[in-house]
Amino acid sequence: MELMGRMASGNGSSVTEFVLLGLTQQPELQLPLFLLFLGIYVVSMLGNLGLMALIGLNPHLHTPMYYFLFNLSFTDFCYSSVITPQMLVSFVKQNIITYGECMAQLFFFAFFVINECFILTSMAYDRYVAICKPLLYRVTMSHQVCLMLIVGGYMIGFTGAMAHTACMLRLNFCDSNVINHYMCDIPPLLKLSCTSTTLNELVVFIVVGVSIIVPNLTIFISYSLILFNIFLIRSTKGRSKALSTCSSHIIAVSLFFGSAAFMYFKSSPTGSEDEDKVSTVFYTIVGPMMNPFIYSFRNKDVQMALNKTLKKKMLP
C-alpha cells in the first residue's frame, strides 16, 4: 500500500483517495439493495465454500472435471470477496477508498477475472475430450495436464493484472476523485485521469482481447465438435446427459463473457456509466453465486456426494 502511495506522489498525482458512489444514488433503494446483495454474497460464499469442501472430502470426485470445478469455486470465492464487501459499504455510508487500496482492488479483480476466463476454457476442453475422445480421456486429461492448464491460467491472470495495474499507476489523477461505480474498475478510473490514457486503452484492448477472444474461440470450437459428436450418439439417454452437461457450461459462459465483452469492447470509454455498472454486476456478483448451482447441484455425482457426506455427519 505504501509503495503505491509513493508511486502516486512520484508521478504527480494529487489524489490520495477516491469516493466510490456505489450502484445507485437513490435513497429509497439503498436498504433493499443492501439486503439483496448481502444475501447474494452470503449464498455465494456458502455455495462456493461448500462445493470446495464437498469435492475435497469425496475421493470419487477427484477427477479432472471436479478439479477444474474446485478451482472455479475458489476463484469465484476470491474475486467476489474482493468486490462485494466494498460494494455493500456504499449502501450504508460514503465509501472512501485510498489510492493504494483502489489499485490493490483493481489488481486482484483483474487477476481473478482473467483466471476465470481460462478455467472456463479448460472446462470446455475437458468436456470435449470426455465426449469426443472418451477412450483417451485419462491419458489426455492427466494430472500433469490439468495442473498445467490451471497454473497457466493463474500465470496469464497475474501477467494481465500486472499490466493493467502498472499502466494505471502511471496516470495522474489531479481533478475529481469521485468514481461513479461500486469498485475500482478500469473504465471509470480512466475517465478521472488528467493525462493521456491511450496506452491504457491499448493494454485493455490487448489483454481483454486475449482473455475473451482466445477463450471464446476455443470454447466455440470445442462445443462445435461436441455437438457434432452428440448427434452421433444413438442412445437418447446418453445424448440427453451430454447435452445437460453442455447446457450448464454454456449458460455460465454466456453470462460471464457476454457481460464482460459488453463492458470492455465498447467503441468509446464515455458510454453509459449505469450500463457499465449493471453489466459488471452480472460477472462480478451474480455469476459467482450461480456457478455452484448451474455446474454442480444439477449433477448427480455431486448430489450423491452431498447425501453421503450429510449421512456421515448425522450418524453417531
Side-chain angles (χ1 to χ4, degrees), residues 42-55 58 61 65-66 69 72-73 76 123 244-245 248-249 287-307 309-310:
V42 171
V43 172
S44 178
M45 294 299 98
L46 293 177
N48 285 295
L49 282 174
L51 182 57
M52 286 189 286
L54 196 65
I55 294 173
N58 290 271
L61 295 181
M65 175 181 175
Y66 296 105
L69 204 52
L72 180 69
S73 290
D76 282 339
M123 294 176 75
S244 177
T245 303
S248 298
H249 190 254
M289 178 195 68
M290 293 180 62
N291 282 343
F293 297 97
I294 62 180
Y295 277 115
S296 310
F297 297 129
R298 293 176 57 192
N299 187 294
K300 291 183 179 180
D301 291 335
V302 173
Q303 292 174 357
M304 290 175 58
L306 181 60
N307 290 333
T309 302
L310 292 175

Side-chain angles (χ1 to χ4, degrees), residues 24 99 115 123 181 184 218 221 238 286:
T24 180
Y99 179 91
N115 181 48
M123 294 176 75
H181 211 295
C184 291
T218 305
I221 294 173
V286 177

